[in-house]
Amino acid sequence: MTDMPDTTLTHHGAHDEPSAGQYDDASGYYTLGEPIEDTKAPDGPIADRWQTRKFEARLVNPANRRKLDVIIVGTGLAGGAAAATLGEAGYNVKSFCYQDSPRRAHSIAAQGGINAAKNYKEDGDSVHRLFYDTVKGGDYRSRESNVYRLAEVSTNIIDQCVAQGVPFAREYGGLLDNRSFGGVQVSRTFYARGQTGQQLLIGAYQAMERQVKLGTVTAYTRHEMLELVIVDDGNGPRARGIIARNMVTGEIETHLADVVVLASGGYGNVFYLSTNAMGSNVTAAWRAHRKGAYMANPCYTQIHPTCIPVSGEHQSKLTLMSESLRNDGRIWVPKNKEDCTKDPREIPEEDRDYYLERIYPSFGNLVPRDIASRAAKYVCDEGRGVGPMVGDFRRGVYLDFAEAIERLGEDAIREKYDNLFDMYERITGENPYQVPMRIYPAVHYVMGGLWVDYDLQSTIPGLFVTGEANFSDHGANRLGASALMQGLADGYFVLPHTIRDYLADGPFEKIDETHPAVVEAKQLVEDRVEKLLSIQGTRSVDSYHRELGNIMWEYCGMERSAEGLRKAIDMIRELRADFWTNVKVLGSSTSLNQSLEKAGRVADFLELGELMCIDALNRRESCGGHFRAESQTEDGEALRHDDEFAYVAAWEWAGEYGTPDTLPILHKEELTYTAIEMKQRSYK
């Protein structure tokens, strides 16, 4: 047995650096634009704002709804719920997804649960506490009006889903059960074992399919949006449709409407290795960004602390192990480096470091994700990681259920987590009922996304953005079980109220495929496809994607520095230039071609990656999932600089990257808090 390490955390870092305001790390990489403001959120007490906005939003009478067309891109919880609700209201909805069924949307992969301020446990929960926990968990970098609305409508979501037949877990007496998630001290998470996302998506899917049957929703599967159509009808430019590729036939199709909704998910696959579905991409959002939609806080990415560790260079995907496992599992590593190769069952209790319980006694293993992830990184950097060597490190820590099994019995643990334990055993060959799980952080979610106002409308009139595709609710770090909450809140209870205020001015001027703006958008897609197929270089698309992911993980991952980010920008620019001269895309454009699909997505990731690094370089502070080595406390915690960086960074596309005349333009939205006080987070 040895003494504990002297420091709270061992890490790269705390050195005497200039303060955040002394210079701009990103000078020369961007242009500063005019400030931006959300003008849609009402004034007054925060608890009254959503009711006020719903009343002030103009109505569309039922007869006129039948004349209005809505395009929704994405069929996950946000997109599926929106399609079902707007179809039920009487609008003509076109729903698009690249999967072969709406049920394959990535929402299906969510495991642990969905938050709602029901206070069924009588443990002090409330709408205001959920609001406070979410703002604090996001490190005070979210917009308070949006977050309060999310907490307010959360209670409606559970009632809606129960009415749909979602099989939430129940207590012995039949009441809905709850469990805890990270960053909170109450139990507010509703769950369906380890497959909550799947059950919620089936609920949204069946509601949407009912509207398909009734004729108000038309579903286009195996269609990928490749361009946004913007038309100026004399009253300014508006989003009026999309250009999509039929992924089976290769046909480039035009689809027009009065309004476009993006519910296309997040861009975590820019890192190549992530828990996202292999097809998840940024293309729909990035095409909109290039047409004028601002991209907000792109550097805010979430590294999930409980994922199955990387096992070698052969992998193309990582697997999530639900945060709910931290309710009963205890996280530890050996105190002694020499013990890292031992069977964990042979390491005595006194030689184990339950480091989260030691450092954060108030929250223990249920600290927020960003904190748990960095702590795991630090102990592995010290050389106390477990599992096989991958490169120069053992990248893994133990998640141990021995104490919970002894306390509750194996049957009780099996009832809660059986599908998660089975999945772990199938992937690793290890039985977690007998041997501790090995976990390590991995990219899971993005808090950044297209900028939207209180109505969820982007900077392009007529383009609304919901769910993970927008930036609005989670600040710099999302609390566990809040992604499902936001997706269903936006789709069922927010967008249907706010989009009608915009559609009250419709129907808009009818346009067809011969309109010059439509012809131009379609030509852009055709030219891009032809360009990708014509290069005929020597490198595969996947090789570029993997190299980009390595750059992003190394320099824009869990810890970032000015030096590393500048290096990453140079490397990404070189890689992008090589991509457009040396990529080899097999096949043709007139049939199913997954190589072509990947090429278009990776091309967009190569542009997004540079903007993420510029955004991270500009934000010389640590907040939530964005951790700058130059900005930390003496014990290695994130150190914000509210006087300099209490703003949303909304980036405008200025032209192709790489020249001084087309630097991205930064617009700042100042964040102000009237209902809570900004303070440095503490979970100790």
Side-chain angles (χ1 to χ4, degrees):
M1 175 177 173
T2 59
D3 294 332
M4 292 303 306
D6 291 335
T7 54
T8 304
L9 293 173
T10 302
H11 51 83
H12 304 294
H15 19 259
D16 295 328
E17 291 280 349
S19 66
Q22 285 185 253
Y23 56 80
D24 182 357
D25 284 338
S27 178
Y29 290 92
Y30 75 98
T31 301
L32 185 62
E34 293 297 316
I36 189 172
E37 184 180 356
D38 172 23
T39 59
K40 299 288 180 63
D43 296 324
I46 195 167
D48 298 336
R49 292 176 190 174
W50 177 229
Q51 298 303 321
T52 300
R53 181 63 190 133
K54 284 197 293 183
F55 179 76
E56 291 177 348
R58 293 170 296 168
L59 302 176
V60 179
N61 79 60
N64 284 344
R65 293 176 206 161
R66 296 192 291 271
K67 305 173 186 176
L68 292 164
D69 299 326
V70 180
I71 284 175
I72 300 177
V73 180
T75 58
L77 291 184
T85 308
L86 294 175
E88 180 76 35
Y91 299 99
N92 301 311
V93 178
K94 291 183 177 182
S95 169
F96 292 83
C97 67
Y98 69 79
Q99 298 91 346
D100 59 358
S101 166
R103 277 188 57 183
R104 291 187 182 272
H106 187 57
S107 297
I108 202 170
Q111 297 170 353
I114 177 172
N115 288 330
K118 286 287 199 180
N119 195 30
Y120 283 171
K121 294 291 187 180
E122 292 292 339
D123 54 1
D125 200 12
S126 64
V127 167
H128 193 86
R129 187 173 297 280
L130 175 53
F131 157 66
Y132 173 79
D133 286 343
T134 304
V135 173
K136 178 184 175 183
D139 221 349
Y140 301 91
R141 289 295 178 262
S142 54
R143 190 191 285 154
E144 69 169 3
S145 294
N146 291 63
V147 178
Y148 194 92
R149 175 177 64 191
L150 176 65
E152 183 179 347
V153 303
S154 70
T155 57
N156 299 336
I157 297 171
I158 304 304
D159 297 337
Q160 168 91 356
C161 294
V162 169
Q164 289 175 338
V166 173
F168 286 122
R170 294 179 180 269
E171 296 176 335
Y172 179 77
L175 300 177
L176 295 179
D177 196 13
N178 295 116
R179 57 189 178 198
S180 298
F181 261 58
V184 304
Q185 293 177 307
V186 297
S187 295
R188 65 162 68 102
T189 304
F190 296 79
Y191 64 98
R193 288 197 173 179
Q195 49 185 268
T196 312
Q198 178 180 6
Q199 299 303 326
L200 292 173
L201 185 59
I202 290 172
Y205 167 74
Q206 68 185 19
M208 181 181 126
E209 286 298 307
R210 177 174 178 270
Q211 297 307 314
V212 171
K213 175 71 172 177
L214 293 173
T216 62
V217 175
T218 303
Y220 294 84
T221 59
R222 304 301 294 276
H223 280 69
E224 182 170 24
M225 172 185 162
L226 296 179
E227 193 57 82
L228 180 69
V229 175
I230 297 180
V231 174
D232 191 336
D233 59 5
N235 295 309
R238 301 178 188 270
R240 292 299 307 273
I242 64 171
I243 307 297
R245 180 174 180 269
N246 183 319
M247 295 163 66
V248 176
T249 68
E251 182 181 357
I252 306 299
E253 301 177 1
T254 300
H255 296 272
L256 304 172
D258 295 288
V259 67
V260 177
V261 179
L262 296 187
S264 50
Y267 49 81
N269 273 352
V270 69
F271 290 88
Y272 186 68
L273 287 178
S274 81
T275 67
N276 289 182
M278 291 291 290
S280 296
N281 64 82
V282 75
T283 291
W286 195 252
R287 296 290 103 191
H289 173 58
R290 288 175 62 105
K291 282 292 185 75
Y294 293 0
M295 179 68 75
N297 300 332
C299 77
Y300 288 168
T301 55
Q302 179 160 90
I303 314 294
H304 198 295
T306 53
C307 302
I308 297 178
V310 174
S311 59
E313 292 295 321
H314 61 283
Q315 282 182 272
S316 57
K317 188 184 184 318
L318 298 176
T319 303
L320 172 70
M321 285 286 102
S322 170
E323 181 169 316
S324 62
L325 295 171
R326 290 198 273 151
N327 274 275
D328 291 302
R330 301 180 69 193
I331 296 173
W332 64 276
V333 291
K335 292 179 182 177
N336 308 314
K337 296 179 182 179
E338 307 80 55
D339 290 342
C340 292
T341 57
K342 289 184 178 179
D343 185 322
R345 294 167 292 186
E346 296 177 359
I347 301 174
E349 191 72 16
E350 61 269 20
D351 287 344
R352 301 180 178 190
D353 179 12
Y354 295 91
Y355 57 90
L356 291 178
E357 298 174 26
R358 171 172 58 84
I359 301 169
Y360 307 102
S362 293
F363 284 75
N365 294 298
L366 287 175
V367 292
R369 292 174 175 177
D370 59 315
I371 291 175
S373 293
R374 283 195 295 273
K377 177 183 185 297
Y378 293 151
V379 295
C380 290
D381 287 350
E382 291 173 7
R384 295 194 289 144
V386 299
M389 294 286 287
V390 179
D392 299 329
F393 294 94
R394 299 184 191 277
R395 293 182 172 90
V397 300
Y398 289 126
L399 180 62
D400 196 338
F401 290 87
E403 187 272 337
I405 291 173
E406 182 179 349
R407 173 169 47 90
L408 301 172
E410 184 174 320
D411 288 344
I413 297 300
R414 193 179 297 276
E415 184 177 345
K416 288 183 179 181
Y417 309 120
D418 64 337
N419 67 309
L420 299 173
F421 278 45
D422 289 347
M423 181 164 56
Y424 180 87
E425 184 172 7
R426 289 178 187 176
I427 293 172
T428 66
E430 300 171 1
N431 184 345
Y433 293 105
Q434 299 174 3
V435 182
M437 284 185 179
R438 288 179 294 106
I439 58 169
Y440 193 72
V443 174
H444 176 62
Y445 186 88
V446 294
M447 287 72 66
L450 293 179
W451 186 93
V452 293
D453 60 20
Y454 192 65
D455 282 0
L456 303 183
Q457 186 171 210
S458 73
T459 47
I460 299 175
L463 178 68
F464 290 75
V465 190
T466 63
E468 190 179 356
N470 74 31
F471 87 101
S472 66
D473 291 344
H474 305 296
N477 175 65
R478 176 177 67 77
L479 291 183
S482 289
L484 305 184
M485 175 173 64
Q486 185 204 352
L488 291 179
D490 286 355
Y492 283 137
F493 300 110
V494 178
L495 181 72
H497 289 289
T498 60
I499 201 171
R500 59 179 164 82
D501 184 67
Y502 176 81
L503 289 174
D505 291 326
F508 301 107
E509 175 189 355
K510 289 295 181 184
I511 58 173
D512 60 27
E513 295 187 18
T514 63
H515 190 285
V518 180
V519 173
E520 180 185 1
K522 187 174 183 180
Q523 190 63 49
L524 282 172
V525 172
E526 292 173 345
D527 291 347
R528 193 164 189 254
V529 168
E530 183 179 343
K531 171 66 174 175
L532 288 168
L533 288 167
S534 69
I535 298 169
Q536 290 299 302
T538 61
R539 287 188 60 178
S540 70
V541 176
D542 281 345
S543 73
Y544 284 103
H545 195 181
R546 184 184 292 275
E547 185 173 342
L548 173 64
N550 289 338
I551 294 169
M552 296 301 295
W553 179 256
E554 183 68 26
Y555 301 109
C556 197
M558 277 194 280
E559 183 171 299
R560 301 144 181 199
S561 68
E563 179 184 3
L565 289 164
R566 293 191 187 103
K567 182 178 180 180
I569 292 169
D570 290 340
M571 294 172 73
I572 292 169
R573 288 175 175 175
E574 291 177 9
L575 187 64
R576 186 169 64 243
D578 189 70
F579 174 90
W580 284 107
T581 57
N582 196 34
V583 71
K584 186 175 184 66
V585 181
L586 303 173
S588 72
S589 63
T590 57
S591 63
L592 178 67
N593 189 339
Q594 292 184 319
S595 180
L596 177 60
E597 296 162 18
K598 291 179 183 178
R601 296 166 186 171
V602 171
D604 291 332
F605 281 142
L606 285 163
E607 293 178 349
L608 168 68
E610 179 172 337
L611 183 61
M612 289 171 66
C613 291
I614 293 172
D615 186 39
L617 188 59
N618 171 71
R619 190 171 288 276
R620 191 185 174 86
E621 68 163 352
S622 295
C623 55
H626 169 65
F627 192 84
R628 283 287 297 267
E630 303 92 339
S631 183
Q632 54 185 301
T633 63
E634 291 182 358
D635 56 358
E637 301 291 351
L639 179 62
R640 293 197 326 266
H641 299 291
D642 295 338
D643 56 335
E644 294 286 331
F645 296 105
Y647 62 79
V648 175
W651 296 90
E652 179 184 358
W653 175 265
E656 301 297 333
Y657 287 167
T659 67
D661 297 329
T662 56
L663 298 176
I665 302 169
L666 171 61
H667 302 271
K668 299 179 181 180
E669 179 196 341
E670 182 181 357
L671 291 172
T672 57
Y673 292 93
T674 60
I676 56 175
E677 177 187 357
M678 293 178 71
K679 58 181 70 173
Q680 290 291 335
R681 289 191 307 173
S682 175
Y683 291 93
K684 294 185 175 182

